[in-house]
Amino acid sequence: MSQEPADPQPDTGPPHAPDGAHGRPHTGGPAHGTRRERRRAKRTDRRRARRALPGWRRAIPTWRMLLTGLTGLLLLGIAAFVTLYLIVPVPDPNAHAVAQNNIYYYADGTELARTGAVNRSDVTLDQIPADTQHAVVSAEDRTFYRNKGVDLKGMIRAGWNTVTGQGTQGGSTITQQYVKNYYLTQDQTLSRKVKELFISLKVDQQQSKDQILAGYLNTSYYGRNAYGIQSAANAYFNTDASRLTTAQSAYLAALLQAPSAYDVKNATPANRAKAVARWNYVLDGMVSLGFLDPATRAGTGFPEPVDPRPVTGLSGQAGYLVDIADTYLATTGTVDAATLKAGGWRITTTFDKPRQDAFAAAVRQELTDELDPRTRPGTDTDVRVAGASVEPATGRIVAAYGGPDYARQPYNDALRQDNQIGSTFKPLELAAAIDNEATNQDGHRITTETVYDGTSGRDVVGGPTPYAPPNEDDEDYGPVTLRQAMVKSVNSVYAQEGVDAGLADVRETAVRLGIPDDVPGMDPANTSMTLGTVTPSAIDLAGAYAALANHGQAHTPWSVLKLEHAGYSDLPGLPDHEATTALDRGTADAVTGVLRDVVSARGTGAAALALGRPAAGKTGTTDANLAAWFAGYTPELATTVSLFRENPKTHAKESLAGTAGLSRINGGTFPTEIWTTYMAEALDGTKVQHFDLQPTPGNTQPSPTATANPTTPATAPGNRATGTPTAAPTPTGGHPTPGNPTPPAAPTPTPPPAPTPAPTRNTPTPVPTPTGAATPTPAAAAPPSPHPRP
């Protein structure tokens, strides 16, 4: 039986109450208009109340205003993000992944070399060991398998660390680096970074993690002109990528951060330590990510890569000069190694082609032609030369010698920092003492004419470690001025003078002049530092001597004049080359006055007189005859030449004794002769310039005492002299000599007895030599002393 719906009952509730009569308004009928009126009234009340506030209070937005504004900004940001994501395309990788040649020019525009042929052989991911993949993830992006192509936390953290001064830190993921390498350029612009962000997000959506990782491994630069993991495995370990070990994989992953600096076969000791630390960081990361067993990690040793192999296309001197220019661009932060190797650069260097040719010719003429490896294979093989030539007024490197042929010897000896400089350090000690107005053991100010005890093997007083160095041939000089001691390179004198000057101050002065503060051997905690245990490169030392020639104004040597690149709208700027004051002019000129006497008939640099121009310089020979140096300058050009031997397999230094049939090789022989021949050609046709010396009068005044070393008399224990020295001889210095016509401002003294003529290395039998100079006798003579020599 169907039921009819009930009739609607009339509303028996109370009639509609006025606004506010009940706890809630009605929602039907006329109530809508009433509610609208209530809201309008509330807004009116709020406006009236806000207008009644003080002016400063009305300037502060309400929470409703802030919420509305933030919501609007958020919506705009989302809209912009979506729009950019949609309109930024993933470009064709083939159009951006082809590297170009770099072209290098001499200073006059003559082409020097071309580089940039891409050394890359792509491999698939299944050809790359899992440990290699995991090592790269551990080194470069530990969130790789979790992130969406970008790591916002990492980017924010990197930006915060940079802003707060905690160092520049990369925040790019592997995907971002791959996109930059394969699709974009290395241009450091905002537009490129924005494109990188959105393309990375798209690539992460379009490609698998394995595809991205394979692309990154095949496009990254590892140094040694090796692009991609396959070329890197061959370049560093002479193996295929598929056979890389865990240790080798970790090392190649470490290289990605700093390819040139972390190549331990060419790195300084400090950079080698950084490379090993980075290698450890990679392995530790593999453990923390679960890729490597801790026990396996503990048993993993550092893998020594093979020596760099010759690079074709950079034969002769070209490769060394390109290496110097590339190193300069990288170390100054102008262009990093990976960006440079990507190609397309036009680089004008500071090198002068005629002078560069002259340097190579001087080495061949004065040394190579004198060697006979067949007759003397034990002494005339593996003899190497390093050299550099710098303009004092500008700091420009106009020539350098890094080896005979870059295609046969890819090590650049002009840049290496592992050869002690011996007595060429003594002028820097003298400069430190004079510039800081240091005093000797008697409390008297040190000048170029201060008298010291020249007894061989005399104990150094006041040094941090015991030291009693012998002189050349163990010769005693008795009371001798610092000028005379420089001329004869008297070790016992300058060992004491360096301590009197203050080893910390000596170090500081050397750094101001241009010796890098991180090279080994310049440690004030060791008294032996006084005789040149420091190991700057030939370029570093040339820069320091150039500062002496430039009256104490120092330039950091530089090698790039101009950069060009067609693909860059905003080229990186080259550093400025403003001079810094390393020494007071009165100090620098006083030291130059002393070094002019070294280039005299009575000095260890006598061979440089053949230049026929005013010149100053200093010879140096190191312990066990492992290296020999000459560093010298004219007013317009400073040049250093170093000679050493090195085992080609172990890279251990070997004695120069017996080279070219001579019992020992001092700085006054081959290095000075090469220097003289080069400088004569380099300055040929130019006007002879004279030194304009203005030494401070107090710097060259005689010592007020007549004792050689008051606190350490010659009869003290450990000293070999038999009596107390008498009055000091009149200082020597300032005499005009052939080729050195302008005397320094020092008083004219009585010279010591005239020596016999300086030795010539071509004499087959012993000849008379000046006191303290090298004696070129047959190789069968007594072995060299294991102490620094002139």
Side-chain angles (χ1 to χ4, degrees), residues 195-212:
K195 288 180 181 178
E196 175 187 305
L197 176 68
F198 289 99
I199 293 173
S200 297
L201 291 170
K202 285 191 172 183
V203 167
D204 187 75
Q205 293 296 314
Q206 297 171 6
Q207 299 181 23
S208 68
K209 291 292 185 181
D210 284 351
Q211 289 175 308
I212 293 170

Side-chain angles (χ1 to χ4, degrees), residues 482-730:
L482 287 175
R483 181 184 296 275
Q484 291 170 316
M486 187 74 76
V487 169
K488 296 300 183 185
S489 201
V490 183
N491 291 331
S492 60
V493 167
Y494 274 92
Q496 183 65 57
E497 185 273 344
V499 169
D500 292 348
L503 296 182
D505 288 337
V506 170
R507 184 186 192 282
E508 181 184 351
T509 300
V511 170
R512 289 202 310 268
L513 285 166
I515 304 298
D517 61 1
D518 59 351
V519 295
M522 199 161 56
D523 183 2
N526 293 318
T527 310
S528 60
M529 167 190 149
T530 57
L531 296 186
T533 57
V534 65
T535 60
S537 70
I539 292 175
D540 297 331
L541 189 60
Y545 272 65
L548 294 175
N550 197 34
H551 311 293
Q553 297 298 303
H555 292 274
T556 300
W558 53 285
S559 56
V560 176
L561 282 170
K562 184 170 62 173
L563 275 179
E564 300 171 283
H565 196 296
Y568 280 71
S569 58
D570 186 17
L571 285 168
L574 289 166
D576 293 329
H577 307 294
E578 297 295 326
T580 60
T581 300
L583 295 173
D584 178 77
R585 175 170 184 162
T587 299
D589 287 0
V591 174
T592 295
V594 172
L595 296 185
R596 290 191 61 202
D597 279 2
V598 175
V599 183
S600 69
R602 62 183 178 273
T604 58
L609 284 172
L611 178 62
R613 289 173 177 255
K618 183 69 187 78
T619 56
T621 309
T622 66
D623 285 359
N625 209 182
L626 296 181
W629 290 78
F630 184 71
Y633 51 93
T634 62
E636 67 269 47
L637 197 60
T639 301
T640 55
V641 178
S642 171
L643 188 69
F644 62 99
R645 291 185 67 223
E646 180 178 276
N647 185 300
K649 294 182 179 180
T650 66
H651 303 290
K653 298 296 187 298
E654 298 179 341
S655 175
L656 289 166
T659 300
L662 303 181
S663 62
R664 70 178 173 224
I665 304 298
N666 283 0
T669 55
F670 289 118
T672 305
E673 291 161 353
I674 292 170
W675 183 93
T676 305
T677 299
Y678 160 71
M679 291 287 282
E681 184 66 25
L683 299 175
D684 184 45
T686 64
K687 182 181 178 181
V688 174
Q689 294 190 27
H690 296 272
F691 287 104
D692 177 22
L693 301 184
Q694 301 174 23
T696 304
N699 293 342
T700 57
Q701 288 181 349
S703 172
T705 67
T707 54
N709 191 21
T711 60
T712 310
T715 55
N719 296 339
R720 295 169 50 259
T722 57
T724 302
T726 57
T730 305

Side-chain angles (χ1 to χ4, degrees), residues 145-167:
Y145 290 109
R146 303 192 308 272
N147 64 51
K148 299 299 182 182
V150 297
D151 181 7
L152 293 179
K153 289 183 178 178
M155 295 171 65
I156 294 171
R157 182 176 62 251
W160 175 257
N161 288 342
T162 301
V163 170
T164 57
Q166 299 180 46

